[in-house]
């Protein structure tokens, strides 16, 4: 029997698992930064620019106050 299994300890994370978790975290942070930039740009737009995009200030306010989620 394997020493790790016989002692009841869990195995350390495999390097591949660690790399996947790290990439997922990096992707999540990238998405959050992109969305944050987009919110800042929307917030800075003038009424005329919003009209050109077909959006209203209230729609922007609604989007800005939604809870921030990863995906």
């Amino acid at each position: 029997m394997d020493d790790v299994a016989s002692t009841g300890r869990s195995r350390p994370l495999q390097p591949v698992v660690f790399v996947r978790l790290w990439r997922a975290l990096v992707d999540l942070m990238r998405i959050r930064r992109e969305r944050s930039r987009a919110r800042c740009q929307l917030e800075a737009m003038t009424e005329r620019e919003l009209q050109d995009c077909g959006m209203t200030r209230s729609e922007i306010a609604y989007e800005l106050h939604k809870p921030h989620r990863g995906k």
Side-chain angles (χ1 to χ4, degrees):
M1 203 184 257
D2 189 14
D3 285 312
V4 173
S6 64
T7 60
R9 294 182 190 160
S10 62
R11 294 181 138 188
L13 287 177
Q14 298 290 328
V16 173
V17 173
F18 177 74
V19 170
R20 286 182 186 158
L21 289 172
W22 181 255
R23 286 183 182 162
L25 179 62
V26 169
D27 287 342
L28 179 64
M29 295 305 295
R30 180 187 49 80
I31 290 168
R32 289 183 63 119
R33 280 193 309 268
E34 288 173 2
R35 290 179 181 173
S36 177
R37 279 189 216 115
R39 284 190 297 273
C40 288
Q41 289 174 344
L42 286 172
E43 194 171 32
M45 292 175 84
T46 65
E47 293 298 324
R48 178 67 183 159
E49 291 170 329
L50 290 175
Q51 284 179 344
D52 289 344
C53 294
M55 300 180 84
T56 64
R57 188 61 62 188
S58 62
E59 290 172 330
I60 300 299
Y62 174 75
E63 289 298 321
L64 292 174
H65 292 98
K66 281 171 60 172
H68 305 295
R69 305 225 187 266
K71 287 191 174 185

